[in-house]
Amino acid sequence: MTEYFEVHARDGAARLGELRLRDPVATPALADDVVVDGGSLWGADRDHPEGSEAELTVLPHRAFPAGTDPTVQDSFAVDYPDVDYPSVGVVTAETAADYGCDAYVLSNAPGVVGHGASFRDELIAVRESIPADTALYLAGVATPRNVATLVAAGVDLVDTKLARVKGRQGRYLTPEGEYHLDELDELPGAHPNDPPLAAFTREDCVAHNVAALEAELRTVRTRIRRGRLRDYLEGQARHENWLTASFREFDQQYRYLERRTPVIRDTELSAASEDTLNRVEIQRFADRVTTRYRNRFANPLVLVPCSARKPYSDSQSHAQFHRAIGYRGHVASMTSPIGVVPQELECTYPAQHYDAVVTGDWTDGEKAFVAAVLERYLERNDYPRVIAHVPGEGYRDICERVADRVDVPFEFTVADHPTTSESLSNLDAALAGELKYSKRERQHNTIRAIADYQFGADAGDDLFPDLQTTSRHPKLQVRDGDGVQLAAQVPQYGVLAFTLAGARHWVESDAPTKRVDIDGFVPHGSVLAPGVTDADADVRVGDEVVVEGPAAFGIGRATMHGDEMRESTRGVAVEMRHVEATEDNA
């Protein structure tokens, strides 16, 4: 049980937290001033330090360099004592476990930082072995150039040791590079306290490097608060090959990142490179669209290009498409990096929240990704035909590639540009004779499609066999046959939020339910992790969850993933929306 570290916010594996020392420290942070080393046990036995609530005490330890045989590590592993002050254990991937400490030092960090695959393997193994509500400390490896990558991987604490060493060597550090003082004609990235180059000493270089590292950590914390660390990382990591290799290696560890990545946000996702295709948010959306979503319209599918304005329906081009289509076809937008976006899901994160670099040219990787998503989408959904109202710049290539692989006819309607009079006339003519679907059908299908996407395949039908809607998209209200409100569409995220009646309806339905069990109390405002007795492993940050215990029943939104709820002894697990005392507690 940790009493001295708490996570407040998450952005993938990166976290904002707090070391609850006498003077609290916001993490990710520099640990130099708050860590005291209890010493190595290699040379001699040591008494347990007295410790203090003003600092983190590294318990007496045996550190192992990278490459040490696991059997040797096991033979000399330390059994850390239970102490009543903020403590730190020293571990490697082979020795990491829950030793009851508040933080853990990765002893072989200098041997793996700088090597993408080795860093990935060691970091994930340790992070998965120590409790979720403990801090991970990497000593002697941080620079302004790599600290964003370290934090994005799951590191909470670093120090200035390497930055100081490099300063004494005359190496001047910035977030984008490292320079020797003798090679500089001016100081790039100079800080206000830096003297002119002519008077710049190596001690000045030390002070500069420390200041640059502190400044970069401030940037990283700000990015985490805004949910945009990955956007920053994709650009910043380009300055060193191993950093680029590192985030690409982590992108291949979908399980590690997916369970830590929120399912909804209201912040923009920047799609500035082909690496964006591998982001958890992109892969998760494509997977849900091709395995959970089900089309409920009998009309032909009309594929249209995306628009810069989000949601797409608010754009001028899509308004022209909709006038030509006249509710005679089911619209889905094609886009990189999202893939295929059915009209019912265009407000759902991240379809409403991304901004892509538009050049008119598609890379081979973008074409392959969108084609694969479109092919899986058409294999899952039955359409009488596909009308591809798309331009030639990449879109048509993708459609022609997929048309050769699926058993559904394609018809192309764009003569030169999708919004010209001739092209729109072709689109109108292609849908001649098709029956219009009603506003009621459109709204009902939208609610059921969102439920499929949010809760699981066929959840829309399981949850809402008898459905009424009130208000207007994107703020639809969902009611049962008796007019009782069950849920509402949340326009910021494009998902459904249940009422208390809706939560009970959810539990009683056949739709997959995400549950959090709590002790015998009635929560007000939030459920803290110590009050959680169990939670479904597939709960993610941002998920709707049913909260139930001996004394209460309610509905809320998860702020931790399920495993973290079960493991953590501090922090908010669920933000409650509605709760009621059960009859036994009334």
Side-chain angles (χ1 to χ4, degrees), residues 314-359:
D314 289 348
S315 69
Q316 292 183 358
S317 61
H318 277 243
Q320 292 176 290
F321 301 155
H322 285 300
R323 284 194 293 270
I325 294 166
Y327 303 112
R328 295 171 295 166
H330 176 226
V331 177
S333 300
M334 294 172 57
T335 177
S336 176
I338 305 294
V340 176
V341 183
Q343 62 183 2
E344 308 96 300
L345 300 181
E346 68 174 19
C347 289
T348 307
Y349 180 81
Q352 185 186 188
H353 305 81
Y354 76 97
D355 186 26
V357 175
V358 179
T359 65

Side-chain angles (χ1 to χ4, degrees), residues 516 518 521 523-529 531-532 547 559 571-576:
V516 176
I518 62 173
F521 63 96
H524 298 284
S526 60
V527 173
L528 301 181
V532 174
V547 177
T559 56
V572 175
V574 182
E575 293 285 1
M576 299 300 297

Side-chain angles (χ1 to χ4, degrees), residues 409-492:
F410 272 65
E411 179 180 349
F412 295 90
T413 54
V414 171
D416 40 22
H417 188 275
T419 59
T420 62
S421 297
E422 181 181 359
S423 295
L424 292 171
S425 177
N426 292 342
L427 177 57
D428 179 27
L431 290 164
E434 296 289 344
L435 297 177
K436 292 184 178 182
Y437 50 80
S438 67
K439 177 180 178 181
R440 177 179 178 276
E441 183 181 3
R442 183 172 77 252
Q443 291 182 340
H444 288 197
N445 286 354
T446 295
I447 292 300
R448 291 186 173 115
I450 293 171
D452 289 346
Y453 175 88
Q454 189 173 354
F455 304 114
D458 299 321
D461 293 332
D462 292 335
L463 278 167
F464 307 119
D466 185 17
L467 171 64
Q468 298 181 43
T469 54
T470 56
S471 192
R472 300 176 61 184
H473 180 77
K475 298 180 181 180
L476 291 170
Q477 295 178 353
V478 187
R479 301 179 184 275
D480 65 14
D482 297 323
V484 176
Q485 185 173 343
L486 303 178
Q489 188 182 7
V490 182
Q492 296 95 322

Side-chain angles (χ1 to χ4, degrees), residues 515-518 523 527 545-549 552-556 574 576:
R515 305 180 65 101
V516 176
D517 297 333
I518 62 173
V527 173
V545 290
V546 170
V547 177
E548 190 167 13
F553 177 88
I555 186 74
V574 182
M576 299 300 297

Side-chain angles (χ1 to χ4, degrees), residues 88-148:
V88 183
V90 178
V91 298
T92 65
E94 287 76 17
T95 62
D98 182 0
Y99 294 112
C101 298
D102 305 286
Y104 294 86
V105 176
L106 180 59
S107 69
N108 57 347
V112 298
V113 169
H115 308 278
S118 298
F119 173 64
R120 173 205 65 198
D121 292 344
E122 196 77 11
L123 199 292
I124 291 177
V126 171
R127 188 73 270 178
E128 296 274 55
S129 298
I130 62 177
D133 60 346
T134 57
L136 181 58
Y137 176 19
L138 266 58
V141 296
T143 67
R145 183 162 53 173
N146 71 20
V147 73

Side-chain angles (χ1 to χ4, degrees), residues 112-121 123-124 146 148-150 152-153 230 233 237 240-253 257:
V112 298
V113 169
H115 308 278
S118 298
F119 173 64
R120 173 205 65 198
D121 292 344
L123 199 292
I124 291 177
N146 71 20
T149 295
L150 302 182
R230 171 56 187 255
L233 193 65
E240 188 169 347
N241 287 345
W242 94 263
L243 298 177
T244 301
S246 178
F247 83 70
R248 287 178 177 173
E249 293 284 358
F250 273 89
D251 277 348
Q252 304 308 311
Q253 302 301 308
L257 291 179

Side-chain angles (χ1 to χ4, degrees), residues 76-89:
F76 290 96
V78 175
D79 187 14
Y80 291 107
D82 185 16
V83 295
D84 59 359
Y85 51 78
S87 64
V88 183

